[in-house]
Amino acid sequence: MNNSQQRGSTLRSQTRRAELIAIGRRLFADTSYDALSMDDIAKQAGVAKGLIYYYFTSKRGYYLAIVEDSVAELVARAGGDTDLPGVERVRRTIEGYLAYAEHHQAAYRTIVTGGVGSDAEVLAIRDAVREELVAAIAEGAYGRREIPPIARLALVGWLAAVEGTTLEWIAAPADGADGADGRPDRDRLGALLVRQLRATLTVIGEFVPECPPPPLPEGPFDRADDLAPVTGRA
């Protein structure tokens, strides 16, 4: 087999693996891990069971590959656009995070809760996601990813609250107006989380003088989704 044939074979293999992961994400979105057998998965995917074993070794390996793929998408949505100014980075981080949770609810729950029976490997993946998101927020707020331990703990606490809030939000009925009969829209929830972040940054500044909260711009904030309070920059 020449180099061109090898590249073609590798590309086909990568494409097939990605297709199986996409199918698995849909299946596990509707059915619990224990309720799906490898026979069920192969039937739904329209492939021989051996093909799934070939790419993923086991059902667990398949499940972890699906979780890792979901995590990669979440991080890409929430932590991308690194060249943007700080205020826009924070906006995109929170918008991307909530958009992912809203459109991939089962995957989001798996990532945040640790998967099947608090699977240790899934928990490790979740922890890596948290570290990346905390670093993205720190870079947006302070211009650097490495921050003192107590500042990092404060941001981890804020992110834990975000996770709980987001889980509650995606579980609420989507229809109805903002209030008792429905859930707030994504923009409004994002504005709430940003203001909570601003409060966290203020407390960090009290405990860590080298991490002062960015100054508030002059004038009132008229819009509920105005993110300027996070970084002090328009």
Side-chain angles (χ1 to χ4, degrees):
M1 182 181 295
N2 59 37
N3 290 339
S4 177
Q5 290 173 322
Q6 287 178 336
R7 286 194 296 270
S9 177
T10 299
L11 180 59
R12 287 192 297 273
S13 179
Q14 292 173 342
T15 301
R16 192 55 170 150
R17 186 178 187 277
E19 290 172 348
L20 290 173
I21 288 175
I23 291 169
R25 284 179 64 166
R26 291 196 299 271
L27 292 176
F28 284 112
D30 298 327
T31 310
S32 69
Y33 177 89
D34 291 332
L36 274 177
S37 69
M38 288 295 275
D39 288 327
D40 294 330
I41 294 168
K43 182 178 180 180
Q44 292 290 330
V47 300
K49 183 167 61 174
L51 186 66
I52 302 175
Y53 281 114
Y54 172 77
Y55 283 110
F56 306 103
T57 307
S58 64
K59 178 183 172 183
R60 175 179 171 76
Y62 185 43
Y63 177 72
L64 288 175
I66 292 166
V67 172
E68 289 170 350
D69 182 74
S70 299
V71 163
E73 183 177 347
L74 173 57
V75 170
R77 287 200 184 204
D81 299 314
T82 56
D83 294 332
L84 291 172
V87 65
E88 188 61 23
R89 280 205 65 189
V90 171
R91 186 193 303 274
R92 294 288 183 88
T93 296
I94 294 176
E95 284 181 351
Y97 185 93
L98 293 177
Y100 180 86
E102 184 175 26
H103 295 296
H104 304 280
Q105 296 185 13
Y108 178 80
R109 289 191 186 94
T110 295
I111 294 167
V112 170
T113 62
V116 181
S118 295
D119 186 294
E121 290 187 65
V122 177
L123 286 172
I125 295 170
R126 180 202 64 188
D127 290 344
V129 173
R130 285 179 174 169
E131 289 296 327
E132 179 58 32
L133 293 175
V134 165
I137 292 294
E139 190 166 16
Y142 302 116
R144 63 186 189 273
R145 296 170 69 87
E146 296 293 330
I147 55 178
I150 195 167
R152 177 190 166 278
L153 285 173
L155 289 182
V156 169
W158 171 80
L159 182 56
V162 169
E163 291 173 351
T165 299
T166 304
L167 286 171
E168 185 77 13
W169 177 64
I170 62 177
D175 55 345
D178 183 3
D181 296 327
R183 70 187 188 195
D185 63 30
R186 194 167 71 221
D187 289 342
R188 190 165 179 80
L189 177 60
L192 171 66
L193 297 179
V194 165
R195 277 156 175 73
Q196 291 175 334
L197 175 58
R198 174 64 201 181
T200 299
L201 295 177
T202 299
V203 172
I204 289 173
E206 294 172 358
F207 281 80
V208 189
E210 61 268 36
C211 293
L216 288 171
E218 296 181 3
F221 299 105
D222 297 325
R223 296 171 51 208
D225 62 346
D226 192 344
L227 302 190
V230 178
T231 65
R233 297 188 294 276

